[in-house]
Amino acid sequence: MTPAKTPQTMKPATAAKKLGVLLDATPADFQQGTVSRTELDELLATPPEWVVQLRLNGPHPRQIVASKLGVTISGLARGGVTEPLTTAEIQDLLAKRPEWLVRERATQAEVRREAARVKQLNEEKARKAAHLARQESQRAAAASN
């Protein structure tokens, strides 16, 4: 007989991160307990009103704020954003376009362009290497005949 499997559980901080919500804004009972994988799947499939409202209005965790602003978490820190922001505060920043946000978004865009360029270069090198390998294989096959 195999022993009964214990359900996999996680800390509330991990569950909040997977839900995309700020732990400090969640209900007290969520913050103080553990969350099983089954409970998390249920929260993801049919989120309760508090999850829906936190996702819509915030306050949002740093990674969500950074994503919505189109910058990195480090860019937020350089811009002086150290606290969680609500959706309204994020929209206000996007409307006002402070100098740090413009600079960080430009930096992020340049990083993405460079990553795309490097990816394309690597794909081209891989195609050439595959082509040369096929040619060498064909030469070896022709030489053995």
Side-chain angles (χ1 to χ4, degrees), residues 62-92:
R62 281 187 314 224
Q63 69 269 20
I64 302 295
V65 173
S67 175
K68 288 178 180 268
L69 290 174
V71 299
T72 62
I73 293 174
S74 299
L76 286 178
R78 285 189 293 270
V81 178
T82 57
E83 298 297 318
L85 299 179
T86 64
T87 300
E89 292 168 326
I90 293 169
Q91 290 170 342
D92 186 48

Side-chain angles (χ1 to χ4, degrees), residues 100-132:
W100 71 266
L101 181 57
V102 172
R103 184 180 60 247
E104 290 298 332
R105 289 181 80 161
T107 300
Q108 187 69 2
E110 181 58 34
V111 167
R112 286 186 183 125
R113 276 194 297 276
E114 179 63 12
R117 185 191 70 79
V118 169
K119 181 180 177 184
Q120 183 179 11
L121 185 65
N122 288 338
E123 288 171 351
E124 193 174 305
K125 285 180 181 179
R127 276 194 303 273
K128 286 181 182 179
H131 179 71
L132 289 174

